[in-house]
Amino acid sequence: MADKSKILLIGGTGYIGKFIVEASIKEGHPTFVLVRESTLSLSSPAKSIVINNFNNLGVNFLIGDLLDHGSLLKAIKQVDVVISSIAHDQVDNQVNIIAAIKESGNIKSLQMMWIERILLNQQQDWLLQRLKFDELLRLKEFLTRVASNSFAGFFLPALNQRSSGGLGSFLHSHVQASSIRSTAVTTTSNQPGATASHGDRLVILGDGNVKVVFNKEEDIATYTIKAVDDPRTVNKILYIKPPANIISSNELVSLWEKKIGKTIERVYVPEEQILKNIQETSDFLRKLTLAICHSWFVNGDQTNFEIEPSFGVEASELYPDVKYTTVDEYLNQFV
């Protein structure tokens, strides 16, 4: 049996990165994580838990920084595959990874957690210029883009008041606060939909009828690592769209109401208000997050297209042996 590829995770201690690191170890890959020296000092309680877990799993730490070309190049030269799961506030620095890979000359595969379709469909020059898509696409001969779609652990807990957070907190600070009093529509009909919770109400972007994909983070990580040495994913987008996880906000909250046996007040935020928020904010991360929310929950950019073999493959079809967690199953933990 051939040796497993050596994998470097950039963003490996981040939200989705830590799941990919664990999946890589589970699959038997020698696994490396690029970390700042300050991260290893365990100054952050949250990071210390992640670092200690990685130590127990046998992860190899490489000291470096996305903004330091020398340390980045040194790390990349030690591996076969690079997986980038950097946070949204660092995505414009992905050009640094590209430059180091080009110079190293030894990487056989680059995987990036990707929001390309979302951003291209937004047709926003500020996004395309900031993220340097043209630079990235020049690496197509060994590039796999992973379209993970929505993180279940970030979005779905908002249905449960006691676990609300993530997008729920973000929307209430940056969308609902400026729209709910004047433009949102409140209803308690049997046509609910939600992306965030507050008290006994749920905030819905758009009309709630758009289909969205929610995937458990561990499943995203498993599919990502499965694709590492798979030639079928080279120069393709790996779409993680398991059929049972494609659901509209209306259907999602109907399912939740059925599980808890109660009806919840719903507040609908119209598209015009979301676009107004995007236009008015000067903060890049806020603008990017709102653009993604608009793309997914209003435009339906996760589901409004067919995957053509010329540009993409679907993960659950490619790897039918993976038993993924359905949205229905995921919600049971909150009941």
Side-chain angles (χ1 to χ4, degrees):
M1 181 178 177
D3 292 338
K4 293 272 190 174
S5 294
K6 293 181 287 186
I7 298 176
L8 170 66
L9 266 293
I10 301 176
T13 62
Y15 181 78
I16 192 63
K18 59 183 179 290
F19 295 101
I20 301 174
V21 170
E22 292 187 11
S24 178
I25 290 288
K26 186 177 180 181
E27 285 291 315
H29 291 277
T31 304
F32 300 77
V33 176
L34 186 74
V35 292
R36 300 183 186 93
E37 198 156 6
S38 59
T39 302
L40 288 181
S41 68
L42 307 181
S43 55
S44 163
K47 289 291 185 184
S48 68
I49 294 173
V50 174
I51 295 299
N52 287 334
N53 181 47
F54 286 179
N55 275 322
N56 294 332
L57 291 172
V59 172
N60 303 285
F61 296 107
L62 299 177
I63 303 298
D65 194 303
L66 184 58
L67 301 179
D68 177 43
H69 179 73
S71 64
L72 187 58
L73 178 62
K74 182 179 178 181
I76 286 174
K77 283 185 174 181
Q78 299 182 53
V79 299
D80 306 306
V81 174
V82 174
I83 299 178
S84 172
S85 59
I86 56 178
H88 288 163
D89 60 351
Q90 296 187 70
V91 289
D92 51 336
N93 292 321
Q94 65 187 0
V95 67
N96 301 339
I97 302 173
I98 297 168
I101 286 176
K102 286 180 177 178
E103 186 173 340
S104 73
N106 62 289
I107 296 301
K108 68 178 183 181
S109 176
L110 166 66
Q111 292 193 7
M112 285 195 167
M113 308 306 291
W114 198 241
I115 48 177
E116 173 198 22
R117 183 176 181 83
I118 296 158
L119 301 182
L120 291 178
N121 283 356
Q122 290 285 306
Q123 295 181 342
Q124 301 280 2
D125 287 342
W126 58 268
L127 283 172
L128 299 179
Q129 293 171 7
R130 184 82 179 253
L131 303 183
K132 302 176 177 68
F133 283 102
D134 56 339
E135 290 288 330
L136 182 63
L137 295 180
R138 291 188 187 123
L139 298 178
K140 63 183 181 179
E141 67 271 12
F142 56 87
L143 173 67
T144 298
R145 289 159 283 171
V146 180
S148 60
N149 292 314
S150 309
F151 299 149
F154 188 72
F155 289 85
L156 299 186
L159 292 166
N160 177 29
Q161 313 304 328
R162 293 164 298 183
S163 302
S164 182
L167 180 66
S169 300
F170 183 89
L171 289 179
H172 277 280
S173 348
H174 304 305
V175 178
Q176 187 200 9
S178 60
S179 64
I180 194 170
R181 290 188 299 276
S182 59
T183 60
V185 179
T186 303
T187 177
T188 54
S189 70
N190 290 323
Q191 291 279 340
T195 57
S197 61
H198 179 67
D200 290 324
R201 62 173 40 167
L202 291 162
V203 176
I204 309 140
L205 301 186
D207 63 11
N209 293 323
V210 170
K211 298 283 188 179
V212 184
V213 187
F214 297 97
N215 293 314
K216 188 176 181 181
E217 287 78 351
E218 288 87 347
D219 296 335
I220 293 171
T222 297
Y223 286 126
T224 299
I225 296 301
K226 286 278 188 183
V228 162
D229 290 319
D230 189 343
R232 297 174 295 177
T233 67
V234 176
N235 194 22
K236 297 287 178 67
I237 302 174
L238 178 69
Y239 292 98
I240 305 178
K241 294 175 63 176
N245 290 350
I246 301 173
I247 188 170
S248 71
S249 295
N250 287 338
E251 293 167 335
L252 177 63
V253 182
S254 292
L255 175 62
W256 177 242
E257 289 185 325
K258 183 178 179 181
K259 287 180 179 294
I260 64 174
K262 64 181 287 190
T263 300
I264 304 169
E265 180 184 8
R266 275 110 11 216
V267 180
Y268 292 83
V269 180
E271 180 179 15
E272 295 75 16
Q273 182 60 48
I274 303 165
L275 293 174
K276 184 172 183 287
N277 284 119
I278 294 171
Q279 184 177 15
E280 290 179 349
T281 184
S282 59
D283 180 84
F284 174 72
L285 179 57
R286 184 181 304 172
K287 189 184 289 282
L288 176 59
T289 305
L290 289 172
I292 292 171
C293 291
H294 175 263
S295 173
W296 289 352
F297 293 98
V298 180
N299 278 357
D301 288 332
Q302 290 183 346
T303 58
N304 62 6
F305 63 96
E306 296 294 327
I307 300 174
E308 297 293 339
S310 60
F311 65 78
V313 289
E314 199 286 306
S316 65
E317 293 180 359
L318 211 57
Y319 311 112
D321 55 311
V322 175
K323 174 64 174 70
Y324 67 88
T325 300
T326 67
V327 168
D328 192 341
E329 293 166 343
Y330 191 91
L331 291 180
N332 288 335
Q333 66 184 296
F334 303 124
V335 177

